Amino acid sequence: MADIQVNKTAHPFDKSRFEALLNRRFFYAPAFEIYGGVAGLYDYGPPGSSLQSNIIAEWRKHFIVEEHMLEVDTTIMTPAPVFETSGHVARFADWMVKDLKTGEVIRADHLVKNVLEARLAGDKEARGLAAAPPKEDDKKKKKKDKAKPTAVKLPDELVVEYETILAQLDNYSGPELGELCRKYDIRNPDTDNEVSEPQQFNLMFASSIGPTGQHPGFLRPETAQGHFLNFSRLLEFNNGRIPFASAQIGRSFRNEISPRAGLLRVREFTMAEIEHYVDPEDKRHERFSEVRDVELDLLDRHTQSAGSTKVTRMKIGDAVDKGVVANETLGYFLARIHQFLIKIGIDPTRLRFRQHMANEMAHYATDCWDAEIQNSYGWTECVGCADRAAYDLSVHSAKTGHPLVVRQALKEPIITEKLVAEFNKKTFGKTFGKDSAVIQNIVGGMDEALLAKLQGELAQGSTSITSSDGREFKLTPDLLTIEKKTFKQSIREFTPNVIEPSFGLGRILYALLEHSFWSREQDVERGVLSLPAVVAPTKVLIVPLSAKPEFDPLVKEVSAKLRKAGIFSRVDDSNTSIGKRYARNDELGTPYGLTLDFASVAKRTMTLRERDTTGQLIGDIDEVIGVVTELVNGTTDWAEACRRLPSYDGVQAVE
């Protein structure tokens, strides 16, 4: 039974069939649909909400619990000065172009990408390398997501140029994207009209706080600033020690230019972000040895700059040792992100980590890697992991005057000797009056060598110094003395650096659904979502074969026992056939089914069905509940379940 081979690739991925399933089962749908909807806003239905909650619950376990993180929940509405200080008001923007005739706004990098990819697809078709697949839903769509490929053979050198541009697309500035549009005659694919020069568009939603609007504000585009502003309190909560991490799951808002790619580009979304505070002089991680051997597919910045997208498979330990990844803490989180995504069901062969190139690197980052997941829209960034250095804490500290620093007692005090200038307050003030401050600033700015020279000259009787405006001041030993003093430093004060993993949960959820979807080999219309039990919306389906009253006590008993074991189950007592009931729940990703039939009433037996193989086992009700509890909790697998319970052949004798 455990050896049943399931061919999940018998039918190629069919996007229209996949989207029909998500729509039919209400995983998510356009928000305000009966009012005509608003692009980039979606509501999650019961299975989508449950799936997201389960992904969050696993994220919380994998990161917050396992890494002892400090969880916070900060406000969405944020006063404008916070984002002015952080640089978002000036820099949180994308480049957009306008259709010169219709005025339609398109994101510039997406336009270049879609048009060049379509031309390359058309070139392949013309060369007979690959036929462009027919788009069943093109006519139904009001707007196409991509430019339509046309079979036109391109010169070989142009193919290389296009591929090189696409490999380093994220590295182009706005003016460079405009230059590409002119050079390669890139137009709006929906109208074939020319487009304007790229302009910057800030992605934040502006608002105001208070009845008179006297406090301008923004809806946050990320949760990060809430962590940084509470750094002092978090540090105190952690007994003044670093490294430590804060974590937050919450809503963020971005006024996307032209959101078209379903859940991948939305205007309101749930993020999960971690801010890990670390000593800038020691970015090692105490648990790095646990992940050293985790292998990742890495696409570094040098490969991209050379016009290639070829990944290198490396152990994260080697990547850090060779300097491909900047430090141990950044490497540790890349490995943990990889482990999390695989655990919830992302296909490891369609996951890569891409390093940001110089031009696309956030203004504050020293190194940044995106976990990109391949799906029908291409490679999509789903997690960003950046070393933000000390940028955020430094700018907020400078703006507010509140020191966002760590004060660390040194094991061994640092003893130093240095020359110090001391002014005789009585005579100095009388002699120089309002020029006193000018002279003090000049002497205060001197290094050790200049102070030693001054000391020697004073020992000879007098010296003079010159101000920046050319005035000369004579100094004598009765006005100023310079002596060597010993200093003992027992406290080190520094601004920590921040390593930030940032997760777009909607994107991860969508990619997971795509990776989980397949159609049964014998019937393409029977779609299945092979969601792992850890994130599946419903873990177990209870199916009574009959609606007769004698089944009620058994259904209640099984439901209560699963509930007590902490397992989310549903009863499907609809009057459709058992096959249709199971097919419906295969579409919802429910991994296990329990069937109660007339033999269950007579002999207290129950069958257990596994979603992917459709294999069934049979046993005593309590024994089966024990096995299914272990399966859902991940403490056993289906192969072991098949060893513990006999297989069910579809016939039960009722005495």
Side-chain angles (χ1 to χ4, degrees):
M1 179 73 66
D3 297 329
I4 295 174
Q5 293 300 308
V6 182
N7 184 3
K8 295 184 179 180
T9 56
H11 305 286
F13 177 77
D14 186 327
K15 191 164 181 181
S16 56
R17 198 168 260 120
F18 167 70
E19 287 178 341
L21 182 153
L22 298 185
N23 189 46
R24 187 168 63 250
R25 298 292 171 223
F26 192 17
F27 274 85
Y28 61 89
F32 319 109
E33 196 170 18
I34 63 174
Y35 276 86
V38 176
L41 297 175
Y42 290 89
D43 294 331
Y44 286 18
S49 298
S50 189
L51 177 59
Q52 179 174 253
S53 296
N54 293 342
I55 291 171
I56 289 171
E58 192 51 42
W59 190 90
R60 199 175 250 118
K61 254 190 250 173
H62 187 86
F63 291 105
I64 295 176
V65 176
E66 285 188 37
E67 309 286 350
H68 303 294
M69 293 179 176
L70 310 180
E71 189 168 8
V72 294
D73 184 359
T74 67
T75 66
I76 287 166
M77 180 62 74
T78 309
V82 172
F83 287 129
E84 285 162 8
T85 303
S86 68
H88 284 78
V89 171
R91 299 188 187 90
F92 198 76
D94 279 336
W95 292 95
M96 64 176 188
V97 292
K98 277 187 179 175
D99 183 308
L100 290 176
K101 289 185 181 170
T102 67
E104 183 191 353
V105 175
I106 309 165
R107 200 168 127 174
D109 57 339
H110 290 178
L111 174 69
V112 172
K113 178 175 185 277
N114 291 341
V115 170
L116 296 191
E117 280 182 350
R119 288 179 189 174
L120 287 172
D123 173 72
K124 277 190 172 175
E125 192 184 350
R127 292 170 189 252
L129 297 174
K135 286 266 184 185
E136 294 172 25
D137 54 351
D138 263 0
K139 287 176 189 170
K140 297 176 199 168
K141 281 191 179 178
K142 287 179 185 170
K143 283 186 175 179
K144 304 178 185 72
D145 287 336
K146 296 206 173 190
K148 199 174 178 184
T150 313
V152 177
K153 188 171 184 244
L154 303 171
D156 292 352
E157 61 273 13
L158 195 56
V159 170
V160 173
E161 276 181 49
Y162 284 178
E163 286 172 346
T164 304
I165 290 164
L166 290 170
Q168 49 187 315
L169 188 62
D170 292 311
N171 210 24
Y172 289 108
S173 65
E176 287 169 338
L177 289 167
E179 179 58 37
L180 290 174
C181 289
R182 284 194 302 278
K183 183 176 177 183
Y184 297 106
D185 191 28
I186 293 172
R187 298 163 175 252
N188 180 354
D190 290 345
T191 61
D192 201 36
N193 296 333
E194 287 184 28
V195 294
S196 68
E197 281 299 302
Q199 290 176 298
Q200 276 203 311
F201 171 72
N202 193 292
L203 299 176
M204 288 195 295
F205 283 102
S207 186
S208 60
I209 303 166
T212 60
Q214 71 268 44
H215 301 298
F218 294 99
L219 300 183
R220 66 183 181 195
E222 58 174 34
T223 71
Q225 302 308 316
H227 296 248
F228 303 135
L229 301 185
N230 285 294
F231 174 73
S232 297
R233 290 177 181 276
L234 289 165
L235 180 66
E236 185 185 358
F237 187 88
N238 203 51
N239 302 320
R241 295 198 179 115
I242 70 162
F244 75 89
S246 54
Q248 176 166 201
I249 300 157
R251 290 277 180 168
S252 295
F253 302 80
R254 296 182 185 182
N255 196 7
E256 292 287 352
I257 292 167
S258 50
R260 292 188 183 188
L263 291 187
L264 300 186
R265 194 152 299 282
V266 291
R267 289 176 164 142
E268 177 181 343
F269 52 95
T270 303
M271 294 182 85
E273 287 194 302
I274 295 162
E275 308 299 340
H276 180 96
Y277 306 95
V278 64
D279 186 334
E281 292 175 14
D282 182 8
K283 293 188 181 179
R284 289 174 301 168
H285 195 287
E286 63 175 5
R287 294 181 62 189
F288 188 66
S289 58
E290 296 173 31
V291 301
R292 273 198 82 90
D293 293 334
V294 173
E295 291 192 342
L296 306 181
D297 286 333
L298 302 178
L299 175 56
D300 65 59
R301 62 167 73 99
H302 305 298
T303 305
Q304 296 168 75
S305 299
S308 169
T309 53
K310 189 176 186 296
V311 296
T312 305
R313 192 158 184 78
M314 282 180 99
K315 287 181 179 176
I316 193 65
D318 295 340
V320 171
D321 292 345
K322 292 173 181 172
V324 178
V325 173
N327 56 69
E328 273 191 16
T329 299
L330 191 61
Y332 178 76
F333 278 110
L334 294 186
R336 292 286 289 150
I337 290 163
H338 180 269
Q339 289 171 335
F340 170 73
L341 293 173
I342 302 309
K343 190 191 290 183
I344 64 167
I346 294 297
D347 179 354
T349 66
R350 300 171 72 189
L351 170 63
R352 72 182 185 191
F353 288 82
R354 186 184 71 79
Q355 189 176 30
H356 280 207
M357 291 176 283
N359 235 5
E360 65 172 315
M361 190 92 79
H363 54 278
Y364 48 72
T366 57
D367 192 12
C368 183
W369 292 78
D370 289 342
E372 294 187 331
I373 304 174
Q374 191 187 36
N375 57 80
S376 59
Y377 292 97
W379 286 96
T380 303
E381 172 209 343
C382 294
V383 188
C385 195
D387 183 336
R388 291 176 83 127
Y391 172 78
D392 300 276
L393 296 175
S394 301
V395 293
H396 288 305
S397 188
K399 175 72 176 175
T400 61
H402 182 100
L404 299 173
V405 294
V406 176
R407 291 171 58 81
Q408 209 171 59
L410 296 168
K411 287 177 185 169
E412 294 285 327
I414 299 169
I415 294 166
T416 51
E417 282 190 333
K418 58 182 179 182
L419 292 170
V420 177
E422 282 194 1
F423 298 92
N424 184 331
K425 286 179 185 172
K426 282 183 185 174
T427 54
F428 186 75
K430 279 182 191 171
T431 308
F432 294 111
K434 61 176 191 264
D435 287 327
S436 298
V438 175
I439 298 164
Q440 283 175 316
N441 281 340
I442 295 168
V443 175
M446 288 181 173
D447 61 15
E448 195 81 358
L450 284 171
L451 282 172
K453 181 171 176 276
L454 204 62
Q455 185 187 36
E457 288 168 355
L458 284 168
Q460 301 297 317
S462 71
T463 184
S464 62
I465 58 172
T466 309
S467 67
S468 57
D469 57 6
R471 288 182 298 151
E472 197 169 283
F473 301 100
K474 187 181 177 186
L475 297 173
T476 54
D478 63 315
L479 297 170
L480 169 72
T481 56
I482 294 171
E483 291 176 357
K484 189 157 274 203
K485 291 201 171 180
T486 302
F487 292 88
K488 184 179 175 183
Q489 185 192 347
S490 53
I491 299 283
R492 175 181 165 229
E493 190 174 280
F494 63 91
T495 305
N497 279 201
V498 179
I499 312 287
E500 179 195 72
S502 174
F503 297 71
L505 295 177
R507 290 180 171 192
I508 292 169
L509 179 144
Y510 177 80
L512 173 59
L513 287 169
E514 264 204 23
H515 287 197
S516 303
F517 176 74
W518 55 287
S519 293
R520 298 235 179 251
E521 188 173 5
Q522 63 277 20
D523 184 0
V524 73
E525 295 300 331
R526 285 191 60 190
V528 182
L529 286 175
S530 283
L531 294 167
V534 70
V535 292
T538 305
K539 315 298 184 191
V540 178
L541 181 73
I542 302 166
V543 187
L545 207 58
S546 164
K548 289 189 173 177
E550 59 259 42
F551 279 78
D552 293 347
L554 278 182
V555 171
K556 281 182 182 168
E557 180 193 340
V558 172
S559 289
K561 284 178 173 169
L562 288 173
R563 210 164 39 242
K564 195 174 177 188
I567 289 167
F568 187 75
S569 64
R570 282 182 63 232
V571 178
D572 187 342
D573 54 6
S574 58
N575 55 10
T576 53
S577 72
I578 190 164
K580 281 188 178 167
R581 283 188 264 177
Y582 273 133
R584 183 164 60 207
N585 279 276
D586 289 347
E587 289 190 337
L588 289 166
T590 309
Y592 302 107
L594 299 175
T595 310
L596 293 162
D597 58 12
F598 290 100
S600 307
V601 178
K603 302 194 293 187
R604 286 188 60 80
T605 56
M606 180 165 67
T607 62
L608 165 61
R609 174 189 184 267
E610 197 272 334
R611 173 196 59 216
D612 292 3
T613 61
T614 68
Q616 294 193 64
L617 308 175
I618 190 166
D620 173 79
I621 284 178
D622 287 331
E623 194 182 4
V624 170
I625 286 173
V627 170
V628 84
T629 301
E630 288 181 40
L631 285 166
V632 169
N633 291 337
T635 54
T636 192
D637 59 16
W638 185 245
E640 177 58 30
C642 293
R643 284 192 282 276
R644 283 166 56 181
L645 295 173
S647 64
Y648 175 56
D649 58 8
V651 182
Q652 271 206 80
V654 182
E655 291 169 8

